[in-house]
Amino acid sequence: MAFVGIVILAIVLYVWGYKTSALFFMFFFITQGFNLLPEEVTEFLFISKGMDYALLILVGIVLVDCVFVKGYLKPDDFTNYLILFGSFLLVCIIYSKFFVGLGWVEIIRTCRYQFFWIVYFIFRNMTKQQLEMLLKCLYVVTTFCSVLFLLQIFFNENILLKFGFTSAVTIMGIDIPRYYNQPDMINFFAVIAVFRNPFKGAPRWITTIILVAALLGAFHRNLTGFFILALFVGFVLKLPRVKQIAIVSTVSILICFVVVFAGYKFVHTRTYVDLKTVASGNIGDVDIDLADLSKSTFTFRIAHLLERNQYLLEHPKAMFLGAGLIPEDSKKVESLFNFNIGLIEELTGQTIQLDTADISYSIMFIRLGYLGTFLNLLLFIYLMLFFYKKRENKYALSTFLFFVMSFGVSFFSWNLVLAVTYILPLICYHIVKKSNENEEEATIIKTENVHE
């Protein structure tokens, strides 16, 4: 009941003009209390997760703004893509209800992450200073949560919400605990810390070290690799054009040699044969230990995606609209799906059919189909191109690099399905847009003064 009070408080604060505080509460719920609140604590009536409270705040604020702000929903370049995706999502909801036979609660639970694209209109109605303050507050709280994450490794004890299992990694003969419950916003703010840190002097270096250490502290090889790639790309983009061309040309030649050599070796491996078998639909012939979670490798992820893709190819309706907005615990799952590749549910011993934290595209394909996946990715691509074009702005450069890392990590994580992956960039999108508008206004005023 207390959390319902916080929802009401957040909406009231927004109406009173304390927009940064109101949205801070929304992020509090989106990240499950900044990764500190167990799901059991937030359960209330029909509400099961902090995400539901965040959705209530979002809907409440948007309804208030629609009534009191003139032209609140006016279209612009990006909203055209939002409308396109939103229209598709509406069709999916109707299809899931009346053709698949799902309940409204099941449908909303499944697609609620997508509703947070609407926060675009809230950010558009805020000032640049408010958005920067919100980003700074979230940066500070993520740094604090990163300290807690690092303390877990030091004390070998869970502090943040437990996510999955824990293991250990051996470095120079020393066993170091490996935790997977990194702060939800760590990827974004680790990049921000390096390229657009909100602090100066000692706080800048301290927070950067903490955030980068927390990102690397989970010992995810893929996350580490793509983070280093993002740093390298950022370094190259800040160089003069001639040096950029020289470095890119050299790296491209090296990559070509690596791809040719690795590709030749790959097509002669058992893995390649297994993936071809999965793609053809003969899952029973694949030599993958599905019960061993520790062997959830790239081969496993690609096989997972190919099996879901095979389902779409065998069901033409699902190719465009997906199989429906079906939650994992729906009664429909057992009658509709019989996937063999997936993590094993500990209690039942059954293969998890829809949800996975191992790869983003399996979830997108099965629930949104090819068309929905394309329209969803189109939103990310639009933002990525926008930030690349405006890369002289440090917010734009940082967010572009975050997308470089995110697209790479998406083959090893479900990050593209999570709301924070696009909500945080939307803050920077409006900061950059408002910076450009302020510069244009200043130029116009300066020109008018010269003519006078």
Side-chain angles (χ1 to χ4, degrees), residues 16 72 176 185 237 379 423:
W16 284 349
Y72 183 69
I176 301 175
M185 297 182 284
L237 289 177
L379 296 172
I423 293 180

Side-chain angles (χ1 to χ4, degrees), residues 133-396:
M133 179 55 67
L134 175 60
L135 210 59
K136 188 173 184 178
C137 290
L138 296 175
Y139 180 92
V140 171
V141 77
T142 303
T143 303
F144 172 74
C145 291
S146 297
V147 172
L148 297 181
F149 176 80
L150 293 171
L151 288 175
Q152 291 181 148
I153 301 173
F154 183 78
F155 292 109
N156 195 15
E157 189 72 36
N158 268 295
I159 299 175
L160 299 178
L161 285 178
K162 189 174 181 180
F163 178 76
F165 54 93
T166 58
S167 60
V169 60
T170 303
I171 299 178
M172 299 176 64
I174 302 174
D175 289 335
I176 301 175
R178 183 181 179 187
Y179 289 86
Y180 298 82
N181 56 347
Q182 289 173 298
D184 286 348
M185 297 182 284
I186 183 66
N187 292 3
F188 181 80
F189 284 116
V191 179
I192 286 287
V194 176
F195 291 96
R196 183 56 182 89
N197 198 302
F199 294 103
K200 295 181 179 180
R204 173 179 180 173
W205 293 107
I206 292 171
T207 58
T208 300
I209 291 170
I210 291 172
L211 287 164
V212 172
L215 183 140
L216 302 178
F219 302 101
H220 289 296
R221 289 173 298 176
N222 305 305
L223 176 59
T224 300
F226 286 111
F227 177 66
I228 293 172
L229 174 64
L231 297 183
F232 174 75
V233 172
F235 168 74
V236 172
L237 289 177
K238 295 176 75 172
L239 295 175
R241 180 59 61 87
V242 176
K243 289 186 177 180
Q244 286 182 15
I245 295 173
I247 292 176
V248 170
S249 300
T250 303
V251 171
S252 298
I253 294 171
L254 292 174
I255 290 175
C256 286
F257 279 114
V258 172
V259 169
V260 170
F261 177 73
Y264 176 79
K265 289 192 67 176
F266 178 70
V267 296
H268 291 86
T269 62
R270 173 71 189 184
T271 298
Y272 178 72
V273 176
D274 285 342
L275 293 179
K276 284 181 64 178
T277 305
V278 172
S280 67
N282 300 316
I283 309 299
D285 298 331
V286 179
D287 185 22
I288 297 177
D289 186 359
L290 303 177
D292 189 354
L293 303 186
S294 65
K295 296 190 181 300
S296 184
T297 60
F298 186 59
T299 304
F300 175 88
R301 291 174 169 92
I302 295 302
H304 190 282
L305 175 62
L306 291 176
E307 188 181 19
R308 274 66 181 172
N309 182 65
Q310 185 64 30
Y311 177 90
L312 297 185
L313 295 176
E314 294 172 356
H315 299 79
K317 289 182 180 178
M319 289 177 66
F320 295 99
L321 295 175
L325 300 171
I326 310 173
E328 184 66 49
D329 58 359
S330 173
K331 295 179 180 178
K332 293 280 185 180
V333 169
E334 189 174 341
S335 60
L336 290 175
F337 310 107
N338 186 30
F339 297 126
N340 293 285
I341 298 178
L343 298 184
I344 306 301
E345 173 61 48
E346 292 182 7
L347 295 178
T348 64
Q350 300 296 314
T351 301
I352 296 176
Q353 298 292 296
L354 302 175
D355 291 335
T356 177
D358 289 311
I359 183 169
S360 298
Y361 304 99
S362 291
I363 301 175
M364 289 182 173
F365 273 17
I366 203 67
R367 289 192 171 127
L368 299 175
Y370 294 142
L371 179 58
T373 299
F374 170 75
L375 293 176
N376 196 1
L377 293 177
L378 195 60
L379 296 172
F380 288 99
I381 293 169
Y382 176 92
L383 291 172
M384 189 174 182
L385 292 176
F386 170 84
F387 289 122
Y388 177 76
K389 292 175 183 177
K390 304 292 183 181
R391 60 189 179 278
E392 293 79 11
N393 183 298
K394 290 185 178 180
Y395 282 112

Side-chain angles (χ1 to χ4, degrees), residues 3 32 37-44 47-50 53:
F3 296 119
Q32 201 68 23
L37 281 181
E39 188 175 315
E40 298 77 24
V41 176
T42 57
E43 288 181 352
F44 178 73
I47 298 174
S48 61
K49 293 184 178 180
Y53 294 101

